[in-house]
Structures are given as structure tokens and as C-alpha cells.
């Protein structure tokens, strides 16, 4: 729909794969599309989350989560995560250049990147003052996730959110960083690495442009460091998922959302 409105920055180019933005105006348009796509798929606005900051789970509610069985809580979280992933898929579709990639490469990028973008987005839903995340309508500390039986993963994920919050990124910076996490030519199983690389370069250029404009070029280095942490978190998530699927094959097979299975299993 964005393309039809003529917003797509490259729609007029003769070579549809020549994604590299040649002028400042193209970079501005690229950034604007990515920021708009982020805004339209981010579920909650920052101000809305700010207003909900002190809505915490009560003792009883926490206990209800803690007394759920391992597979019940896993299924519950897998459903929440899949909702979030669905919004990331929507976000990806509107990154200029993404839809020009082959179906195979779009899926390969989402398989490895969607969970990472969810974790980047988690920082918007995180309250560093009391280490809680917005989950199921209220703010939850790590103790809420106790029955998942993967405390190390939860601690690492909360740590990551804390570190992301410390960078104090603007919504535009989060949008461009999320796009860069997704469009990564180093991911496995890509058919046309060259094409992905060209899209990646344009997004990189956009992020550099925004950081330069915000006078925060030093953030680039820190963001690349966060990307390395993201990769390790996602392999930990996959490891836990394999552990869970072995112990609870029935839940993993028949009660997990199809998209969760398709992307991560
Ligand atoms: C991330 C940002 C999204 C909204 C959103 C939905 C679900 C949340 C997720 C955020 C953050 C991480 C989260 C998740 C539900 C469960 C998961 C709290 C806020 C925790 C870390 C448990 C992971 C368990 C897996 C191992 C199954 O826009």
C-alpha cells in the first residue's frame, strides 16, 4: 500500500535492485518509511506505556503465574511472543527493499531476525526503575516467569533490555536499528546475498544519517555491540526451545502457534 501511494523511495528507478540511495532526499525518505512502519507496528506508543508504568501484578497474580505448569506457561509465553513476532513481520514488509527479496530470503531473514527485533522492541516495554516488562496487560518482574524453568534466559533477556534502555534511543533510532537487525546479509541460508547486502547498505546509511543528524555518531559502535549480544540471546532461546520440545513434545507440537513453530522449530 505504501508503494501504491508513491512513498516507496526507489519505485521510479529503472533497475529495481539498485537500492542504494543516491541522494540525501532518498535517505530521508528511506528513514521516514522505516520510522512510519515502526510506528504503525509497535503496538503501544511510548506515552501510553509511560502512563501504565506503575501498573504492577499483585502478589496473588504473581502466584497464579508461578503455580502454572511448565508447559502451560511455555504455551502462554509462546502465544505472546508470536503476537509480537507478527507485528515484526508487518514491520519488515514495509522496509524499502524487503519485498523485492525472494520469498526464501525474506523467510530466512525473519527466521533469524524476528526474535532479535522483538527483544530490541522489549526495551520500549521495560521499566528500568523496577526491572519489569509489560506482559499480559501489566508490568512483570522476572519472578513472574519462574515456572518456565529457564531463569538464565529470562535474566539475560531482562539484562539486555536494561542495557538497551541505558542507550536512551529515540523512536527513530529504534526503528532504524530494528531494520538493520533484520536486514543482515550474514544470515545463513540466503539465496541472493548480494541483493540483501544492497538493502542492508541502504539501511546502514539511514541509521548513520539519523545518528549524524542527532549528533550521536558514537552510538553506532554500541549498537553493533548490542547486535552481538542479541545473537547469543537468540541461540539461548533456541537451546531452551529444543530442551522444552524434548520434554514436552505434545505441547510443542500441537499447542504452540504455527508461526512460532515455523520460525523457530
Ligand atoms: C516485546 C515487545 C513486543 C511486545 C511484547 C510481547 C511479548 C513479550 C515481549 C514484548 C518481551 C519478552 C516477553 C514476551 C512474552 C514472554 C517473553 C516478556 C514486551 C519472556 C521473556 C519469556 C520468554 C519465554 C520463551 C522462552 C518462550 O512489541
Amino acid at each position: 500500500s505504501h508503494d501504491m501511494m508513491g512513498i516507496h523511495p526507489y519505485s521510479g528507478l529503472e533497475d529495481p535492485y539498485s537500492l542504494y540511495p543516491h541522494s540525501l532526499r532518498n535517505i530521508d525518505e528511506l528513514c521516514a518509511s522505516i520510522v512510519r512502519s515502526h510506528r504503525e507496528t509497535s503496538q503501544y506508543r511510548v506515552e501510553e506505556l509511560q502512563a501504565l508504568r506503575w501498573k504492577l501484578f499483585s502478589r496473588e497474580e504473581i502466584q497464579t503465574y508461578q503455580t502454572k505448569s511448565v508447559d502451560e506457561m511455555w504455551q502462554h509465553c509462546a502465544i505472546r511472543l508470536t503476537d509480537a513476532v507478527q507485528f515484526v513481520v508487518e514491520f519488515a514488509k514495509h522496509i524499502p527493499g524487503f519485498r523485492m527479496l525472494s520469498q526464501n530470503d525474506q523467510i530466512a531473514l525473519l527466521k533469524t531476525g524476528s526474535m532479535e527485533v522483538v527483544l530490541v522492541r522489549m526495551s520500549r516495554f521495560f521499566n528500568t526503575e523496577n526491572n519489569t516488562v509489560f506482559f499480559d496487560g501489566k508490568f512483570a518482574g522476572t519472578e513472574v516467569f519462574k515456572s518456565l524453568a529457564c531463569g538464565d534466559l529470562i535474566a539475560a533477556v531482562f539484562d539486555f533490555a536494561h542495557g538497551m534502555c541505558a542507550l536512551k534511543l529515540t523512536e527513530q533510532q529504534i526503528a532504524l536499528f530494528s531494520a538493520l537487525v533484520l536486514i543482515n546479509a550474514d544470515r545463513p541460508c540466503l539465496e541472493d546475498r548480494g541483493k540483501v547486502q544492497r538493502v542492508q547498505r541502504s539501511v546502514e546509511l539511514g541509521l548513520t544519517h539519523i545518528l549524524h543528524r542527532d549528533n550521536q555518531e558514537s552510538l553506532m559502535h554500541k549498537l553493533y555491540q548490542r547486535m552481538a549480544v542479541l545473537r547469543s540471546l537468540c541461540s539461548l532461546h533456541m537451546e531452551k526451545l529444543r530442551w522444552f520440545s524434548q520434554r514436552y513434545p505434545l505441547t510443542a507440537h500441537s499447542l504452540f502457534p504455527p508461526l512460532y513453530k515455523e520460525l523457530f522449530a
Side-chain angles (χ1 to χ4, degrees), residues 116 184 187 224 226-236:
E116 296 188 4
N184 183 344
R187 302 294 195 189
Y224 278 108
R226 302 317 294 170
M227 286 168 95
V229 181
L230 275 175
R231 271 195 292 281
S232 70
L233 279 180
C234 286
S235 43
L236 191 54

Side-chain angles (χ1 to χ4, degrees), residues 43 74 80-81 84 118 122 125 134-135 145 148 153-154:
Q43 296 174 266
W74 263 82
R80 289 284 165 276
L81 273 175
V118 166
M122 178 179 171
F125 292 74
F134 192 68
F135 166 77
F145 302 98
L148 289 171
L153 172 63
I154 299 300

Side-chain angles (χ1 to χ4, degrees), residues 74 142 145-146 148-160 232-233 235-237 239-241 243:
W74 263 82
T142 52
F145 302 98
K146 201 177 127 198
L148 289 171
C150 49
D152 53 347
L153 172 63
I154 299 300
V157 163
F158 272 61
D159 242 38
F160 177 80
S232 70
L233 279 180
S235 43
L236 191 54
H237 168 240
E239 198 182 296
K240 297 295 174 190
L241 179 60
W243 164 82

Side-chain angles (χ1 to χ4, degrees), residues 202-213:
S202 72
V203 176
E204 256 160 2
L205 218 57
L207 181 58
T208 308
H209 172 67
I210 283 210
L211 293 181
H212 177 78
R213 189 202 58 194

Side-chain angles (χ1 to χ4, degrees), residues 12-80:
L13 293 183
E14 211 148 295
D15 173 8
Y17 306 132
S18 158
L19 290 159
Y20 202 78
H22 294 287
S23 70
L24 209 55
R25 193 172 150 264
N26 276 345
I27 301 174
D28 268 332
E29 283 173 355
L30 171 88
C31 291
S33 327
I34 293 175
V35 169
R36 182 184 336 100
S37 180
H38 168 75
R39 193 187 334 109
E40 286 171 356
T41 60
S42 58
Q43 296 174 266
Y44 285 86
R45 282 179 287 118
V46 185
E47 312 85 73
E48 290 176 306
L49 290 162
Q50 204 64 28
L52 293 167
R53 267 172 105 67
W54 299 105
K55 230 177 130 181
L56 297 166
F57 284 116
S58 68
R59 268 247 116 295
E60 293 72 38
E61 288 170 320
I62 294 173
Q63 226 147 52
T64 307
Y65 284 111
Q66 291 182 333
T67 50
K68 279 184 194 283
S69 64
V70 177
D71 59 332
E72 206 183 344
M73 188 63 179
W74 263 82
Q75 194 200 343
H76 186 77
C77 286
I79 291 170
R80 289 284 165 276

